[in-house]
Amino acid sequence: MTMKYRIGYLAAVAATAFAIAASMPVAAASGPAEIQAALDAAYAKYRDLQEGANADYIPALAKVDSKIFGIALVTPDGRVYTAGDVKSEVSIQSISKVFTMARVIEDEGLDAIEKRIGVDATGMRFNSIVSVEFAQKALGGPEINPLVNPGAITATSMVQGATRAEVWKRILDFHSDFAGRPLSVNKEVYESEAATNHRNQAIGALMYAYGFIKSDPAQATDVYTEQCSISVNAKDLATMAATLANGGKNPVTGKQVMKSENVPGVLAVMATAGLYDDSGKWLYHTGLPAKSGVGGGIIAVAPGKFGIAVISPPLDAAGNSVRAQKAITLISNSLGGNPYAARSAR
Ligand code: DON
């Protein structure tokens, strides 16, 4: 090797080393003590924050204890870090949309979601009927996506199964595999939402009328309502997020829950639409694909680094937990979670 080539070779090795260091898992870049300290600091900082209010358009959600505040972070090596109340459970609500979308992608491939529903942000509220009107293929308007209600109810209608019971089992089992334990439904929340979800029933009917849903829309809306009522704690949600951060393999149970090649598509929709009309703001501050639920949970995924979840029921005007947004932002940024924040090579 001549001197010129040797210098070029060494430069290439150094560049590779820098690139690897820049994308190093947080477990290697931040030790367990730093991760725990980041969780503890966020918990202490926001424990007494009282902004926002529980969702009340689903009557059972108004009764949930607003003080619940739990933080969990799971790394690809299966370590679980927690702060605050990680035992209390809330209903998963819209966070389930991520996993039902993933179920459909696993069954039918990435194209199925893109072609039938779309993968663009609507910029509108999660249960906007205007977005459905715009999305009519005949009008050629902007698309929707599987993380807003019209797209989510459509995704639920696409889950394979000969009977309602079979469809439901495939959805619940899939969520349980992500969480690493058998999950169950909060019956009170399910019944409360089923008795009051006329708007979602209308959305389901419209999606059927416009040809997006091709089976019974009432059943699709009902199964969607049940999936939103799955009961989870912060650790469940963090493990679900960490499974996405770990290429579809649950880092705690070791089970490959979904194909690694399908994960980036799921994360892309989370990045563009996970926090609804506030998704841009969220991405601007964290860079993380995330998903919120009106039960008060938010999950966020730092690919290759960690999955994090916070539960705190009081929501802001867009329907996203106030304390969860603040705590995840603080923790992720202090641990170098933002995938856009690469270090300079020199
Ligand atoms: O369909 C609904 O209205 C609820 N089951 C879920 C909405 C939701 O979680 C929106 N999230 N921020």
Side-chain angles (χ1 to χ4, degrees):
M1 209 186 268
T2 65
M3 183 59 84
K4 186 175 149 204
Y5 285 114
R6 185 166 307 158
I7 289 170
Y9 173 75
L10 289 176
V13 170
T16 309
F18 271 117
I20 292 170
S23 64
M24 248 190 323
V26 73
S30 315
E34 285 164 80
I35 298 176
Q36 188 59 51
L39 265 66
D40 291 342
Y43 181 75
K45 181 162 186 189
Y46 298 120
R47 187 179 35 205
D48 299 322
L49 187 82
Q50 287 186 354
E51 282 170 37
N54 282 27
D56 58 4
Y57 74 100
I58 300 170
L61 297 188
K63 295 196 288 179
V64 175
D65 182 359
S66 317
K67 291 197 216 62
I68 296 170
F69 184 33
I71 306 176
L73 182 150
V74 178
T75 48
D77 58 7
R79 287 182 205 238
V80 179
Y81 302 84
T82 64
D85 178 359
V86 290
K87 290 226 159 67
S88 289
E89 298 188 4
V90 296
S91 51
I92 190 168
Q93 296 299 340
S94 284
I95 300 170
S96 68
K97 293 167 176 169
V98 170
F99 303 98
T100 298
M101 161 173 61
R103 174 72 281 168
V104 174
I105 291 174
E106 283 291 281
D107 286 348
E108 298 184 30
L110 286 155
D111 272 6
I113 289 286
E114 188 177 6
K115 293 207 171 111
R116 175 91 80 90
I117 299 173
V119 292
D120 277 333
T122 63
M124 290 179 222
R125 278 189 68 74
F126 61 86
N127 56 2
S128 164
I129 285 175
V130 173
S131 72
V132 178
E133 289 299 318
F134 278 139
Q136 285 182 71
K137 296 248 188 301
L139 297 184
E143 292 176 5
I144 50 169
N145 66 72
L147 300 184
V148 288
N149 290 13
I153 296 169
T154 306
T156 301
S157 79
M158 294 166 74
V159 173
Q160 294 171 1
T163 60
R164 186 200 186 283
E166 235 176 86
V167 170
W168 170 245
K169 183 170 168 11
R170 296 192 72 239
I171 290 174
L172 183 63
D173 287 352
F174 202 55
H175 281 71
S176 299
D177 282 345
F178 273 94
R181 73 171 181 111
L183 298 175
S184 57
V185 163
N186 180 324
K187 283 225 158 52
E188 190 194 346
V189 172
Y190 169 55
E191 280 161 15
S192 173
E193 183 165 354
T196 52
N197 67 351
H198 303 97
R199 188 181 179 97
N200 281 345
Q201 291 177 38
I203 289 173
L206 278 177
M207 293 304 276
Y208 179 79
Y210 297 158
F212 292 95
I213 294 180
K214 298 182 192 303
S215 53
D216 177 11
Q219 176 174 305
T221 307
D222 184 45
V223 175
Y224 161 81
T225 305
E226 191 165 6
Q227 98 190 15
C228 286
S229 309
I230 293 172
S231 192
V232 283
N233 59 38
K235 210 175 116 191
D236 295 327
L237 288 177
T239 309
M240 296 170 96
T243 301
L244 293 171
N246 191 38
K249 185 177 192 172
N250 185 317
V252 178
T253 65
K255 180 170 180 171
Q256 189 74 43
V257 180
M258 70 180 290
K259 295 188 202 86
S260 59
E261 62 265 33
N262 286 338
V263 173
V266 172
L267 296 182
V269 186
M270 291 170 73
T272 48
L275 268 71
Y276 307 114
D277 34 333
D278 274 352
S279 297
K281 266 191 229 110
W282 169 262
L283 204 60
Y284 193 76
H285 290 288
T286 65
L288 297 184
K291 185 73 204 83
S292 60
V294 289
I298 296 185
I299 61 169
V301 179
K305 295 176 180 169
F306 58 79
I308 184 169
V310 175
I311 289 179
S312 168
L315 311 177
D316 65 13
N320 301 314
S321 165
V322 177
R323 284 196 293 193
Q325 290 178 78
K326 288 184 188 292
I328 293 174
T329 304
L330 183 65
I331 293 166
S332 176
N333 288 342
S334 73
L335 295 177
N338 190 329
Y340 301 133
R343 284 180 224 143
S344 310
R346 64 194 177 91

